[in-house]
Amino acid sequence: MTPTSRYRVQSLQQAQISTCLHHERIMLAPLSQSEATTLAVGLRRCLLKGFEGTCFSTLKIKHPWVTKNKKRCYEYLALPGIRETIRDIMMNLSSVVLAGIPIEKKKAKLYTGQEVGVFEARHIVLPEGIYCLSPNQPILTVVVPLELELELTIERGSGFRIRDGGEHEDGLFLDARFNPILQVDYQIQRAERKLEFDRNEKISNIKQEALPYKIYQKNSLSITKEQTEIKEQIDDELSEKENTLHLQLQNEQEQDYFCLLFFDIWTNGTIQPIEAMQEAARQAIAVYIPLLRFASTVPLKTIAQKN
């Protein structure tokens, strides 16, 4: 049996909670306690750190009141004619899920014109190759007709970047969640391994196979000298087999259980959980491949011990 043939991967549950929220429960078995712990920690780190995604990174607001009074936009500013504060708008934009791979930073715009009402993510004009998976995400509510324009920067990256609250040359920084993996939980459970035979049954089988029927006849007076020698020889073989069996059963008792490793993965819909698990496994394997291919070119030096 090859080292990889004894492991089994199974998808226990799949659910699409919404367009931008997918969940899957994956099981890996059988594993030892150390194997389960090592895989759980390593794969979880790869899932939460090793993926790239696309999202809005900065925001510029062009509002008539801001332009006229030459005001500086900041996070907690309330703009006339808009129900939400700038902070609320920034949080709503951070919740928009984008798909696509921009080669460089691209711009997107939301223009309200003279319309009044709730503007959602579907009203944002996106560049070619970028599309929105959460079109019903509310962005802002305009209560009076005004010329409002939001200029957004689309960026691709990894991990999570927290805004600093200040205004920069590119605009206000948003909370940029690049990683499409929203959450990863794991659980390790022990399961007992059922032994095929107990010790008494195995010893009984050894006796029936090893000793001739005549030696265990009830009339022991009929046993000849030749049969006695055979019996002593077989007793020695039986004793050796019992000792071997005892060591084997002792080893089985130490390995009479195995572990099940369960992963619960939530993604934003740009990647499926099982695909994310496969990519995390590739990233983990890529670390070990150089070790497998490593050939030492440094000559060994013999250290002479001084007497």
Side-chain angles (χ1 to χ4, degrees), residues 9-285:
V9 180
Q10 184 177 354
S11 177
L12 302 180
Q13 182 183 2
Q14 292 181 346
Q16 182 176 340
I17 303 172
S18 64
T19 308
C20 50
L21 184 57
H22 293 230
H23 169 259
E24 188 165 357
R25 186 174 178 85
I26 302 171
M27 181 191 73
L28 286 79
L31 303 168
S32 65
Q33 181 69 40
S34 58
E35 288 176 335
T37 304
T38 303
L39 284 175
V41 175
L43 289 176
R44 186 174 186 272
R45 287 183 179 274
C46 290
L47 286 167
L48 294 178
K49 293 292 184 181
F51 286 81
E52 291 187 346
T54 304
C55 66
F56 295 126
S57 59
T58 62
L59 164 67
K60 278 186 178 182
I61 301 178
K62 296 180 181 179
H63 190 284
W65 179 80
V66 174
T67 305
K68 181 180 179 180
N69 296 280
K70 297 182 180 180
K71 293 288 185 179
R72 171 179 168 270
C73 288
Y74 56 92
E75 188 173 350
Y76 296 98
L77 179 65
L79 297 174
I82 301 177
R83 182 172 298 170
E84 295 83 2
T85 64
I86 292 181
R87 181 176 183 273
D88 296 330
I89 297 174
M90 295 171 65
M91 293 179 63
N92 292 337
L93 289 171
S94 298
S95 301
V96 177
V97 179
L98 300 178
I101 305 177
I103 301 176
E104 56 185 9
K105 292 183 180 181
K106 293 188 176 183
K107 299 294 183 178
K109 289 186 178 182
L110 173 60
Y111 181 69
T112 63
Q114 294 292 331
E115 297 183 9
V116 177
V118 179
F119 287 83
E120 300 175 341
R122 57 190 174 89
H123 296 109
I124 302 175
V125 181
L126 298 172
E128 185 179 358
I130 306 297
Y131 54 95
C132 179
L133 296 182
S134 54
N136 298 324
Q137 170 64 41
I139 304 299
L140 56 86
T141 305
V142 179
V143 294
V144 295
L146 54 86
E147 297 286 339
L148 176 66
E149 181 180 330
L150 304 183
E151 183 179 323
L152 304 165
T153 303
I154 299 175
E155 188 177 347
R156 187 168 181 83
S158 60
F160 185 82
R161 189 177 66 197
I162 301 176
R163 65 178 183 271
D164 58 4
E167 185 179 16
H168 303 269
E169 184 179 353
D170 295 333
L172 296 169
F173 283 156
L174 303 176
D175 284 340
R177 179 184 284 275
F178 297 107
N179 195 345
I181 313 301
L182 303 179
Q183 184 177 343
V184 179
D185 295 334
Y186 69 85
Q187 183 180 9
I188 300 174
Q189 293 184 2
R190 287 181 54 169
E192 294 184 358
R193 180 181 285 113
K194 186 177 180 181
L195 300 179
E196 297 178 358
F197 301 99
D198 60 13
R199 185 173 185 276
N200 295 331
E201 290 177 343
K202 288 191 175 183
I203 292 177
S204 178
N205 292 338
I206 290 176
K207 288 181 177 181
Q208 291 178 3
E209 294 176 1
L211 298 181
Y213 176 76
K214 291 182 180 180
I215 295 179
Y216 287 98
Q217 289 180 346
K218 294 183 179 180
N219 187 6
S220 60
L221 296 177
S222 61
I223 299 177
T224 62
K225 182 179 180 180
E226 182 180 356
Q227 289 175 334
T228 302
E229 293 177 354
I230 296 175
K231 180 179 182 299
E232 292 177 354
Q233 181 181 358
I234 295 178
D235 285 341
D236 294 338
E237 294 178 359
L238 177 61
S239 178
E240 183 179 353
K241 286 186 176 182
E242 285 184 353
N243 293 333
T244 304
L245 177 62
H246 177 71
L247 294 175
Q248 179 183 355
L249 290 174
Q250 186 177 2
N251 186 41
E252 287 181 352
Q253 288 175 359
E254 295 176 356
Q255 301 177 357
D256 60 349
Y257 71 91
F258 60 93
C259 291
L260 305 173
L261 176 57
F262 298 94
F263 273 99
D264 287 290
I265 304 174
W266 287 265
T267 68
N268 64 2
T270 58
I271 186 173
Q272 296 299 320
I274 186 63
E275 295 175 354
M277 176 63 80
Q278 292 171 349
E279 180 60 29
R282 293 189 190 98
Q283 294 177 10
I285 292 172

